[in-house]
Amino acid sequence: GGPTKLKGSMQTPFHRFLPLLVLLASFSQELRIRSVQGLKVTSSSHERRVVESAHAQTHVESQSGQLVRQELASEFLGRHGPLPPFADIVEKAPQVMRAQEAWRHMRKHHVPADIALVLQNSLHRGRRQQFSEESMAKARTYLNGLLEHARNELDSKIIQCKEFDDQTQESMTHISTDLSRLGESLADFQRLKSEANEGMNIQEQDINDANQMMQSAAQAHQNRLLKFQADLRIHQQDASVFRFLLQISKCTGSGSSLLQLVETPHLQMCRENAGLSFEFDNAAVQEKVQGMTHRSQARLKRLLGRAMLQSRHGGSRHDLYLQVNISDTSLGEDEAVTTATTTLAALVSDVDEVTTRAPVYKGTRQRAGGRRCTQVATHCGPLSDSLAWEFSKSQDAVDKIKADLNQATHEFESSRNEFILQIGIMRDAKVIYAQQLAEAVSNMNAGLEQAKEKEEERRQVHSDHKHYMSTCRKSISDIVHGQICALTVLRSAILKDSTVSPPDKVIDCEVSDWESNECSKPCDDSCSSGSNPHKCGGWQELTREPVVEGNAFGLRCPPLKRRRRCNQKKCPVDCVMSEWSGFSKCTRQCEGGVQERSRNVLTKAMHGGLPCNTVQEERPCNTQSCDRDCVLSRWSRWSACSAACGGGFHQKRRRVLVPTHANGKCPKASSRKRVRFQKCNVQRCVGDEVCAAVEDVIIAVDASGTLTGDGFSALQAFALQLVDRFRSEYWGIAAMRVGVVQFGNGVFQGDGSMSAALKIADLTSDFASVKAAISTMEWKKGYTNMVQGLSLSQKMLQTSGRRSARSTVLVLTDGRPVFVQQTREKVQQLEDLRIRRFFVVMSAYKSAEFLLMRSLASRPQTANIATVPGIEELQTDPSVFAETVLTKVCAKAVSPSQQKSLSADRGYMLVKLGGICGSRGKLLSRRVQTEQECFQLAKNSDGATSFVLGRRWQKGRCYAATVQITTDAWSTWEAKPQVPECPATSSKKFTRNRLYDFYAIKPDA
């Protein structure tokens, strides 16, 4: 803004040097006088000494004058204080310079002859010639002109030198700022270098630790794998033996025995001191048997003994045998056999009795050591069934080991993948640290090079400034001493004799210090260090005012306005940086890691601009413990009720979104933190309920040999009872679809696999064809191949099921499947596909069969299982059990009698879901809450005998329908609610509309 004082050389008091100058001048004059007098009266040697002393004194005087001139120039170029007044220079000039010396300086100018004569006469020490006032005035005018020129020259020189000095000071400030910034940057780069080295070392150590842990885990997994493989080989050998015996014990006709086949190995029962044993006379077969585990040998011994006892009874108790044998799950279950027939313990304790009763075909042979073996025969049926069951148990053990092995492998692979992922993250972090190290080293080298260049620039600027300012001091000294002082002394000498303008009447113009206005440019990028100061920067106007007006005899005022260069500096360049990059991957998955992000310097700060901020940031991440608990989803919606009446369950669940890690915890699937149950439809069942739910059901019927013929017939009749209660359509919308699968026809193939289940009826709404197909089913007397039955049911639902319908597999069985492990795996697949599993078990409550089937049922398991105590109970009254199963299986069971009673009591009935008969009619309300409210509005409306109620996003809208309801129409809909007809159209069809339901008002209501 406003005017400011000009700082510079014109602000140092000149009078502080005047006493020194006066003393030196007096001393010099005294020495000269004495040396002249001494030369006249002394000898030549003495004269030489005096002359030498005078020369020395002159030299000292010259040196003192030069020192004073230099100090005076420095005062003019100083950066603080006011400029010395010009009057002080004029007043003290005679004391600084003698007239003769002043005349020597004047000889350099081309002085006019007349003025030179006046000047020489004024310096004459003797008789002087008197000049006219006119001549002295002319000389005075001439000298004043020279003084004014010298004064202007001094101003220009001072301003010029000050411009260069200011420019140099700005350059030095910028260079110092840049050097300081470079120092800070180098320190920061050094820090980054150290951090990068440390980070690389840490990551390398972590990688080594992770590799070591992965190797340890791999070794532990290998040891575990070897153990699994050893166990697997043993159980596979047992299963292969049972499969081999199963193949050679196949029945070829009624009454066939194991010994009737010539190529079949003969079975022998041997008694020795250690007890009873069974052997085959074929060495290859006996070797296979002896290669079995002790547990499997004991199981084989038990089943052979039981098969022999069954043969003694002629197979009359074959069914009983199967029921008892299949319930065995360990070697200590012989008590169950006691209740059915002679126990194996009796057989072992009384060998003689058993061998005498057992059939003998080739006689008894006495062996060494008192060992006696008897060749025996068994019925192929019991023996084959027993071997099949033992084979299935051995195969289950094999499947279980395989599942455990797969699980262990999966866990190891997951752990290994996690290690690999962690190592990958560490390597990525190491690469990032390596990049940071390379970048830091590169930046350090670049910074050092730039600092070297800046230091060299600083030295050059300082040298140029020193040389230029030395020249300025000499020039100013020459102007002040050689011109201003000389001219002032000569002017005083000339006017000494003047009567008109003596020295005391001479008044020179005095001006104030310079005041500066604002510079025209804040900076100029064309400026460079050491450049000509008059070629760059802006312009600044300097102004001053007269302080003392000069008279006619003195100097006129110098120019009051001038221009000088200013802001001769390059414009500051602020640092420009790129946007932050995204944060890198966390260096650790748990226990605290680091994420980093960086940005680049696009433009470095220069010439005093704002410095750059940090180029790298980091933040902590994954600070949670490595023992991570699982993360659960939100609660799902409540599921459909598991029963239509008599009390069912809703359920809602929470899925695992993020699994546990390390020693983290997670609630079990059955925990209340993950599953909730709520009772629903607690009203009592009427007894005539039919299923009108939108549901696809596959009925899987067991026809295995573990069932008797009567048992299969009972299940067949039970299936027909269920289909009778299903409705393919109700209230005019599609409801149930049913398909039928038959299993229990299992036969072991040559490779030990089980035969496939049978498709009896495709998924259809034609229940008549379904019932006909059920009626044609036969008892297959095979193994309970439930896995194959569930697999076929899954395929039918996936290929023919409706997306809008719930999928259910309804299994009717006695609960004795072979290959239990495979069955569990298949059930898990159905669970993953959200296919509901409902089991009807013909077994006692909480029996082994019941508990097994309950573990396979959908959750809540108690709502998805029903038990039938036995065949007789099911044959006595199948409708009772059908009612129980229907209300549990069906999500929407309807009692026609109850609906009829309710319609009569309420005065209206639901006729069609998602459809309208006629037109909607008049809008009665937009905010009804229940169908009862809409009924009351329609009843009070003029002549309305039906109404339409909105659903979905039209919920709450109530219309008085236009169709008139007659008593005949009411009776027809009441008798046949499944497929109602619309009396308002010739086609008798309702107009389909998913947003509205149609209700009829009872004519006499």
Side-chain angles (χ1 to χ4, degrees):
T4 57
K5 293 291 184 179
L6 175 67
K7 300 178 182 179
S9 59
M10 296 180 287
Q11 299 181 14
T12 302
F14 178 77
H15 59 273
R16 51 186 279 195
F17 296 101
L18 293 179
L20 177 61
L21 296 175
V22 172
L23 179 63
L24 291 175
S26 301
F27 184 67
S28 177
Q29 182 71 19
E30 183 69 22
L31 286 177
R32 282 194 296 271
I33 294 173
R34 291 183 180 183
S35 18
V36 172
Q37 292 176 352
L39 288 175
K40 293 179 179 180
V41 296
T42 61
S43 63
S44 60
S45 60
H46 180 68
E47 290 177 357
R48 284 196 303 272
R49 287 194 299 269
V50 172
V51 170
E52 291 175 356
S53 177
H55 283 300
Q57 181 63 34
T58 303
H59 178 70
V60 170
E61 183 178 316
S62 175
Q63 291 293 329
S64 300
Q66 184 177 0
L67 177 63
V68 170
R69 288 196 300 272
Q70 291 177 354
E71 292 180 352
L72 181 62
S74 298
E75 291 297 329
F76 273 108
L77 294 177
R79 302 187 64 83
H80 303 286
L83 293 173
F86 187 78
D88 289 348
I89 301 175
V90 173
E91 182 181 354
K92 304 299 182 182
Q95 302 176 15
V96 176
M97 178 178 290
R98 293 179 295 112
Q100 290 80 4
E101 183 180 1
W103 172 244
R104 286 199 300 270
H105 284 287
M106 278 297 299
R107 289 176 182 176
K108 300 177 183 179
H109 300 279
H110 298 287
V111 182
D114 54 343
I115 297 176
L117 182 62
V118 174
L119 291 175
Q120 290 177 356
N121 182 70
S122 64
L123 299 177
H124 198 273
R125 296 185 178 276
R127 187 183 57 184
R128 296 191 302 174
Q129 181 181 357
Q130 294 292 329
F131 288 95
S132 65
E133 290 291 335
E134 182 181 355
S135 297
M136 288 187 288
K138 184 178 180 181
R140 184 195 71 229
T141 302
Y142 177 76
L143 292 176
N144 282 346
L146 293 178
L147 274 172
E148 290 175 355
H149 176 75
R151 188 175 185 180
N152 291 336
E153 186 179 357
L154 178 63
D155 285 343
S156 298
K157 194 64 179 180
I158 290 174
I159 291 175
Q160 180 182 352
C161 292
K162 283 294 296 174
E163 287 176 353
F164 183 84
D165 185 51
D166 290 345
Q167 180 196 26
T168 304
Q169 292 299 327
E170 290 288 350
S171 298
M172 292 295 289
T173 300
H174 290 170
I175 293 173
S176 299
T177 302
D178 291 342
L179 285 173
S180 176
R181 175 184 55 79
L182 287 172
E184 294 176 357
S185 299
L186 289 173
D188 191 50
F189 292 144
Q190 182 63 40
R191 177 185 61 81
L192 292 176
K193 178 181 176 182
S194 301
E195 291 179 353
N197 281 320
E198 182 181 2
M200 290 178 63
N201 295 333
I202 292 175
Q203 295 303 323
E204 183 63 28
Q205 183 63 39
D206 289 344
I207 290 173
N208 294 334
D209 293 343
N211 281 323
Q212 186 175 0
M213 292 175 64
M214 186 168 64
Q215 292 175 1
S216 300
Q219 185 61 41
H221 172 67
Q222 186 64 27
N223 296 336
R224 190 179 180 187
L225 197 63
L226 292 175
K227 182 179 181 304
F228 276 132
Q229 290 174 347
D231 294 341
L232 182 61
R233 283 193 296 269
I234 293 174
H235 286 283
Q236 283 178 335
Q237 183 177 357
D238 293 350
S240 65
V241 173
F242 280 119
R243 184 170 62 248
F244 171 75
L245 295 176
L246 185 63
Q247 292 295 329
I248 66 175
S249 65
K250 286 184 178 180
C251 298
T252 59
S254 59
S256 298
S257 69
L258 189 62
L259 299 181
Q260 288 177 327
L261 303 176
V262 178
E263 68 277 7
T264 302
H266 296 153
L267 178 63
Q268 297 176 352
M269 181 175 66
C270 298
R271 181 180 183 274
E272 54 187 347
N273 296 332
L276 184 66
S277 65
F278 293 94
E279 297 179 359
F280 292 91
D281 61 358
N282 185 293
V285 176
Q286 186 62 29
E287 184 180 359
K288 286 180 176 290
V289 173
Q290 289 178 350
M292 301 173 69
T293 61
H294 293 293
R295 183 182 181 91
S296 297
Q297 288 182 13
R299 286 159 49 194
L300 178 60
K301 174 181 176 180
R302 186 171 66 235
L303 73 88
L304 289 174
R306 289 178 178 174
M308 189 189 68
L309 289 177
Q310 288 296 100
S311 299
R312 188 180 62 183
H313 293 283
S316 59
R317 299 188 179 182
H318 172 59
D319 296 334
L320 178 61
Y321 164 77
L322 287 176
Q323 292 186 23
V324 175
N325 181 66
I326 290 178
S327 65
D328 294 341
T329 57
S330 67
L331 294 177
E333 295 184 355
D334 292 331
E335 294 179 0
V337 182
T338 304
T339 61
T341 184
T342 306
T343 62
L344 182 60
L347 173 65
V348 175
S349 64
D350 193 358
V351 177
D352 293 334
E353 179 182 0
V354 174
T355 55
T356 56
R357 295 183 180 181
V360 178
Y361 292 89
K362 293 185 179 181
T364 302
R365 293 181 290 175
Q366 184 72 31
R367 293 191 177 183
R371 188 180 186 204
R372 187 175 62 183
C373 296
T374 302
Q375 189 168 329
V376 298
T378 63
H379 281 288
C380 65
L383 179 61
S384 181
D385 288 343
S386 299
L387 288 172
W389 180 250
E390 293 301 330
F391 169 64
S392 70
K393 289 201 291 186
S394 297
Q395 190 61 42
D396 279 342
V398 171
D399 294 339
K400 181 66 166 62
I401 294 174
K402 287 183 178 179
D404 293 342
L405 191 148
N406 292 334
Q407 179 66 23
T409 303
H410 174 71
E411 291 176 357
F412 169 71
E413 290 297 331
S414 298
S415 177
R416 181 173 176 272
N417 291 335
E418 189 172 345
F419 276 120
I420 292 175
L421 176 63
Q422 187 68 23
I423 291 174
I425 293 174
M426 295 174 187
R427 285 177 178 167
D428 291 343
K430 184 178 177 182
V431 169
I432 292 175
Y433 282 126
Q435 293 174 350
Q436 291 176 0
L437 177 61
E439 185 177 357
V441 172
S442 175
N443 290 333
M444 282 185 65
N445 294 335
L448 289 173
E449 186 66 25
Q450 190 176 3
K452 182 179 178 181
E453 293 175 358
K454 284 293 179 182
E455 185 62 30
E456 180 64 27
E457 183 182 359
R458 186 187 67 81
R459 286 195 295 267
Q460 184 63 40
V461 170
H462 179 71
S463 175
D464 293 344
H465 178 261
K466 182 178 179 181
H467 174 73
Y468 191 90
M469 295 307 293
S470 175
T471 303
C472 285
R473 290 187 182 90
K474 185 177 182 308
S475 298
I476 292 174
S477 176
D478 292 343
I479 294 172
V480 173
H481 187 265
Q483 297 186 45
I484 296 178
C485 290
L487 293 173
T488 302
V489 169
L490 292 175
R491 190 182 65 173
S492 297
I494 292 174
L495 298 180
K496 184 187 306 180
D497 299 330
S498 175
T499 59
V500 177
S501 57
D504 56 344
K505 289 186 179 181
V506 176
I507 301 176
D508 296 324
C509 177
E510 289 287 344
V511 293
S512 63
D513 291 338
W514 289 108
E515 292 183 355
S516 59
N517 294 327
E518 186 175 358
C519 189
S520 62
K521 289 184 179 180
C523 55
D524 190 352
D525 286 330
S526 64
C527 295
S528 60
S529 300
S531 64
N532 191 330
H534 299 288
K535 292 184 179 180
C536 71
W539 288 101
Q540 188 178 46
E541 186 175 311
L542 304 178
T543 60
R544 57 186 174 182
E545 296 178 354
V547 177
V548 176
E549 292 288 347
N551 58 12
F553 309 134
L555 300 179
R556 294 172 298 178
C557 289
L560 300 180
K561 290 184 179 180
R562 294 193 68 138
R563 289 200 315 164
R564 60 161 283 182
R565 285 285 185 178
C566 56
N567 287 339
Q568 294 174 303
K569 59 182 179 180
K570 288 189 176 183
C571 295
V573 178
D574 296 337
C575 176
V576 179
M577 308 188 74
S578 65
E579 295 294 331
W580 285 107
S581 65
F583 278 101
S584 63
K585 291 182 179 178
C586 191
T587 56
R588 295 178 63 89
Q589 288 186 323
C590 53
E591 300 293 353
V594 175
Q595 283 181 310
E596 297 178 341
R597 66 174 182 175
S598 61
R599 55 183 176 180
N600 297 323
V601 176
L602 302 179
T603 304
K604 293 182 179 180
M606 294 186 296
H607 315 310
L610 293 177
C612 297
N613 205 337
T614 178
V615 297
Q616 182 177 346
E617 278 187 353
E618 60 182 32
R619 67 180 183 184
C621 57
N622 291 342
T623 56
Q624 74 280 1
S625 170
C626 287
D627 300 334
R628 181 187 65 201
D629 295 340
C630 67
V631 178
L632 302 178
S633 66
R634 294 182 178 180
W635 286 104
S636 65
R637 295 180 180 179
W638 287 105
S639 65
C641 191
S642 61
C645 57
F649 294 93
H650 288 299
Q651 67 171 336
K652 61 179 180 179
R653 293 181 174 275
R654 298 175 70 186
R655 296 181 294 105
V656 176
L657 297 179
V658 181
T660 59
H661 185 273
N663 296 322
K665 298 179 180 179
C666 191
K668 295 181 179 180
S670 58
S671 170
R672 278 188 55 82
K673 293 182 179 180
R674 289 186 56 184
V675 60
R676 297 282 177 85
F677 299 102
Q678 187 180 68
K679 290 184 178 181
C680 56
N681 292 341
V682 295
Q683 71 276 10
R684 297 184 62 180
C685 297
V686 177
D688 62 343
E689 280 81 7
V690 294
C691 186
V694 181
E695 192 165 359
D696 294 335
V697 178
I698 300 296
I699 302 177
V701 183
D702 188 357
S704 63
T706 55
L707 287 168
T708 63
D710 293 339
F712 173 73
S713 298
L715 287 182
Q716 190 176 27
F718 181 71
L720 291 171
Q721 285 272 349
L722 287 175
V723 176
D724 275 337
R725 288 175 172 258
F726 293 156
R727 297 292 181 266
S728 61
E729 192 173 7
Y730 213 90
W731 291 314
I733 62 171
M736 297 287 295
R737 293 174 65 189
V738 179
V740 181
V741 167
Q742 185 180 24
F743 64 98
N745 61 319
V747 176
F748 284 100
Q749 308 296 326
D751 58 354
S753 62
M754 186 66 67
S755 57
L758 303 176
K759 182 192 291 187
I760 303 301
D762 283 319
L763 198 61
T764 179
S765 58
D766 184 3
F767 294 164
S769 63
V770 173
K771 290 167 64 177
I774 293 174
S775 300
T776 60
M777 290 192 304
E778 297 179 355
W779 181 34
K780 298 301 181 180
K781 306 177 186 178
Y783 302 120
T784 312
N785 53 344
M786 186 177 292
V787 177
Q788 286 70 26
L790 294 176
S791 297
L792 182 56
S793 300
Q794 173 187 336
K795 181 178 180 181
M796 293 172 63
L797 288 171
Q798 286 182 308
T799 56
S800 303
R802 295 170 293 178
R803 294 183 59 182
S804 59
R806 182 170 68 168
S807 298
T808 301
V809 178
L810 175 60
V811 183
L812 310 181
T813 181
D814 62 353
R816 299 166 184 171
V818 293
F819 303 142
V820 176
Q821 181 63 27
Q822 295 180 14
T823 305
R824 293 187 184 277
E825 293 174 359
K826 176 53 65 177
V827 163
Q828 184 58 47
Q829 294 180 17
L830 297 176
E831 177 69 21
D832 295 339
L833 294 172
R834 298 184 181 275
I835 297 177
R836 183 188 181 196
R837 301 158 320 276
F838 192 100
F839 288 87
V840 179
V841 187
M842 196 162 61
S843 174
Y845 181 65
K846 290 191 176 180
S847 63
E849 295 80 6
F850 174 83
L851 296 178
L852 175 60
M853 293 299 103
R854 188 176 69 176
S855 68
L856 303 178
S858 296
R859 296 179 182 276
Q861 294 172 340
T862 55
N864 287 284
I865 190 169
T867 181
V868 178
I871 298 175
E872 295 181 358
E873 289 82 355
L874 186 59
Q875 291 175 334
T876 301
D877 194 356
S879 61
V880 175
F881 297 104
E883 175 69 25
T884 302
V885 172
L886 178 75
T887 55
K888 283 190 172 185
V889 171
C890 185
K892 189 175 184 62
V894 179
S895 171
S897 61
Q898 189 180 42
Q899 287 293 320
K900 184 177 180 179
S901 176
L902 286 174
S903 299
D905 293 340
R906 294 182 303 188
Y908 65 92
M909 73 163 66
L910 173 62
V911 179
K912 181 71 170 70
L913 288 173
I916 301 174
C917 183
S919 62
R920 286 183 305 188
K922 179 182 178 182
L923 176 63
L924 301 179
S925 176
R926 296 176 182 268
R927 297 180 180 179
V928 296
Q929 300 295 324
T930 62
E931 56 190 37
Q932 181 67 31
E933 293 181 21
C934 188
F935 163 68
Q936 292 296 335
L937 293 175
K939 183 179 179 180
N940 296 331
S941 180
D942 296 337
T945 59
S946 59
F947 60 91
V948 175
L949 184 62
R951 57 190 306 201
R952 294 184 178 180
W953 51 85
Q954 295 294 331
K955 186 176 181 180
R957 292 176 178 264
C958 176
Y959 294 86
T962 58
V963 64
Q964 294 297 315
I965 307 302
T966 63
T967 303
D968 293 340
W970 176 274
S971 301
T972 301
W973 290 335
E974 194 174 45
K976 295 180 179 181
Q978 295 88 349
V979 187
E981 295 181 350
C982 176
T985 61
S986 58
S987 62
K988 303 298 182 182
K989 293 183 178 180
F990 281 78
T991 302
R992 185 178 179 182
N993 192 324
R994 295 182 179 180
L995 301 179
Y996 297 99
D997 297 332
F998 181 80
Y999 291 80
I1001 299 177
K1002 192 175 182 181
D1004 56 352

